[in-house]
Amino acid sequence: MSRLLPSPGRRKYNDDDDEHEDPLLRDNRDSSEEDVELADLELDGRERTPVNHYRRRDEPPKRVEWYWIASALAVCVAGFTLNTEATAYFEDALDWKKPFATLYLTHGSLVLPWIVHIFYLRWKNRSTPYQSWVRDYNNTLRSSISTIDAFATSGPSLILKRRGQQGGPLDYLAATMAIVTIVLTISGVSWFTSLSLTTPADLTAIYNCATFFAAAFSVPILKEKLGRLSILAVALSIGGTFIIAYGDTTAEHAESAIGASRFLGNIIACVGAVAFGLYEVLFKKWACSSRPETQGSSVPLTLAASALTGFYTLGVLWIAFPILHIFGVEEFALPSLHALLWIVIAVLSAAVSITLLAILVVWTDPVFGSMANVLSVFFVALADWYVWGLSPSLATYIGGALILVAFGMLSYDTLGKEKEKD
């Protein structure tokens, strides 16, 4: 959207004789003269709004190509599968069971993709002076945040400032991601707490109901209308998860060790599923540009927003370590070098998969993004077969088939809607 520079001089008109005062036009201005756009001016290196910030409001956002979505989903599912297997190995085989420490490292690792991205950008623009490069990066980030609908509608109410001060785009992102971090932490703590109270089958089945809660929250928060195909896909995916969780008899669970705590563990797992579904929806609402130029232009904002959850985790949750150690809930102990290697593998794979999950949520919607978690259930069962020699049961294949069918239906419905927007 171009803006015109004011020209010197005025023309005066009177309402009674079709005259009025217009300060933007000089006397005898030729209508054929070319208007000057701000984007064409040289500002001698001073800060100006990026040209791509000015976008025609009637121009629809560009659709993300399907192969980018497919690639991100494939790597995301592979990352979740590797994270699950690596975590199971250093907890069960190497006997380093520190649930809170694992949560702290996993969520804190979300800063790593952003750091890698920053180093890449700096290397790519290494000829640019450092201060200019930082200013350009911040301006680009501010420009992306300014295109978020929630920033325009509810941004001021989410920013805590002193009276008389007004928060900017970066303040908005910091405030909203603090809330998102709380929701994600509740989800993670619920997972690790219920793990010691209920059976793995219950936990897997209930926690993957986050797909349903993501769909439920999308209606009031994102004002989305779910089609019948999407609703049926969610139901099939949850059904497939339950079949895998309860129909697979290759693993035996010590029910006597759980006892009456199983019901409490299931309630806590349900809280975690609700929180994770809410996390995906809030991330979509508060960190998704409504007018991205390309799929690549939305990535810097997504990485920065996701990294903030990692910084908040690293900066705040460490306080719990001495408390848990003093009360004997989780005593602090350094892992062996062998265990450390597998912890690093688990943390890195989690950093990649959770970040890609956020990107998928931004590119598509929370329901499609959460399907990565559901797909990983089937592939984890196949990985158990390959790594641990646990042959999948008939229930695993039936449940996996239902999940794959549900994924196909959801993909058709989601990508079909995106195509109709073009």
Side-chain angles (χ1 to χ4, degrees), residues 327-341:
F327 288 95
V329 178
E330 182 175 309
E331 296 183 357
F332 181 79
L334 293 175
S336 63
L337 290 178
H338 189 199
L340 180 61
L341 172 63

Side-chain angles (χ1 to χ4, degrees), residues 1-5 35-40 54-56:
M1 181 174 62
S2 62
R3 300 188 179 185
L4 304 181
L5 283 177
D35 295 328
V36 180
E37 297 187 4
L38 287 179
D40 296 332
Y54 300 105
R55 180 185 180 90
R56 291 181 53 186

Side-chain angles (χ1 to χ4, degrees), residues 293-314:
E293 292 288 334
T294 62
Q295 61 269 16
S297 65
S298 64
V299 171
L301 174 58
T302 306
L303 293 179
S306 182
L308 277 174
T309 63
F311 281 117
Y312 285 135
T313 299
L314 295 176

Side-chain angles (χ1 to χ4, degrees), residues 26-101:
R26 64 177 179 268
D27 294 333
N28 302 322
R29 181 179 185 269
D30 187 359
S31 60
S32 64
E33 292 184 19
E34 184 178 358
D35 295 328
V36 180
E37 297 187 4
L38 287 179
D40 296 332
L41 292 179
E42 294 293 338
L43 298 181
D44 299 328
R46 290 176 293 169
E47 179 178 325
R48 68 177 175 90
T49 306
V51 176
N52 61 1
H53 173 68
Y54 300 105
R55 180 185 180 90
R56 291 181 53 186
R57 294 185 177 274
D58 59 345
E59 182 180 348
K62 295 184 179 180
R63 179 171 60 94
V64 181
E65 297 295 342
W66 67 268
Y67 50 81
W68 285 110
I69 297 176
S71 300
L73 181 66
V75 177
C76 182
V77 172
F80 278 130
T81 303
L82 180 59
N83 171 261
T84 302
E85 294 298 327
T87 302
Y89 183 72
F90 70 71
E91 283 188 350
D92 298 332
L94 304 180
D95 199 27
W96 196 80
K97 294 184 178 180
K98 305 294 178 183
F100 186 80

Side-chain angles (χ1 to χ4, degrees), residues 9 24 28 36 41 150 158 241 258 307 310 325 357 368 376 385-386 403:
L24 297 181
N28 302 322
V36 180
L41 292 179
L158 295 171
T241 302
I258 297 169
H325 181 78
L357 175 65
F368 186 88
S376 66
W385 179 23
Y386 181 77
I403 291 174

